[in-house]
Amino acid sequence: MNHWLVKSEPFKYSFEQLLKDKKTIWDGVRNYQARNNLKAMSKDDLVLFYHSNEGKEIVGIAKVVKTFYQDPTTADPNWVVVELSPVKKLKKSVTLEEIKTTKSLNDIGLIKQGRLSVMPIKPEEFDQILGLAEEL
DNA sequence: GCCAACGTTGGC
DNA sequence: GCCAACGTTGGC
């Protein structure tokens, strides 16, 4: 199983909204690297949900319920979507600040490639983050 | 609201 | 195929 992190601006689509919706189509990705990551997702992979701009923190865990297919919002065959469902809201959100001050997380894509909106997370990084969220 | 980082586009 | 110009993202 692989682990991922996706970013969303809360005013566009928040984790609370996902909890309400139970399931969402992760559309609008228009970056090749992020697209490749979407394509690499398998069913039941766990996805950290990060709020950018507002909050700047990881707020919850989601999982992949449907692997990639053509983005229905565009006719351009370059772009794909996946479907995500919420797993749980974190007991304690993990802020960018905390991630930055945690030595073992200094290599995480979130810091190294700030602009990427879908990125892989190493298993040990995933565990570290759950630790910070008091979920372990 | 500014600006740094970085991806994309287009001229040569 | 290089690189300058431009656009977008996201932290501050």
Side-chain angles (χ1 to χ4, degrees), chain A residues 44-123:
Chain A
D44 294 329
D45 278 357
L46 294 176
V47 180
L48 296 170
F49 198 107
Y50 176 79
H51 281 173
S52 63
N53 280 322
E54 209 182 303
K56 282 172 295 180
E57 56 192 10
I58 297 167
V59 289
I61 307 171
K63 68 173 180 176
V64 179
V65 289
K66 192 161 188 198
T67 53
F68 79 92
Y69 57 93
Q70 163 75 38
D71 188 336
T73 64
T74 175
D76 188 337
N78 278 322
W79 307 119
V80 301
V81 299
V82 297
E83 289 180 13
L84 300 179
S85 280
V87 174
K88 68 181 302 187
K89 187 179 163 71
L90 293 178
K91 220 175 274 174
K92 182 171 162 294
S93 296
V94 179
T95 63
L96 186 61
E97 190 61 36
E98 285 177 275
I99 290 167
K100 279 185 173 167
T101 54
T102 303
K103 263 220 173 78
S104 48
L105 289 175
N106 278 354
D107 230 19
I108 200 171
L110 191 62
I111 294 172
K112 288 184 81 181
Q113 256 190 299
R115 291 188 50 210
L116 191 59
S117 58
V118 181
M119 68 193 78
I121 296 289
K122 296 186 198 119

Side-chain angles (χ1 to χ4, degrees), chain A residues 1-19:
Chain A
M1 137 137 43
N2 291 309
H3 302 90
W4 309 92
L5 182 145
V6 297
K7 287 186 191 173
S8 182
E9 301 187 39
F11 87 89
K12 255 195 197 157
Y13 196 86
S14 65
F15 191 72
E16 285 70 24
Q17 191 62 46
L18 180 60
L19 286 171

Side-chain angles (χ1 to χ4, degrees), chain A residues 17-34:
Chain A
Q17 191 62 46
L18 180 60
L19 286 171
K20 246 183 263 171
D21 293 347
K22 303 280 198 292
K23 187 170 103 164
T24 192
I25 296 175
W26 204 255
D27 62 10
V29 171
R30 293 294 180 271
N31 168 287
Y32 287 102
Q33 217 179 328

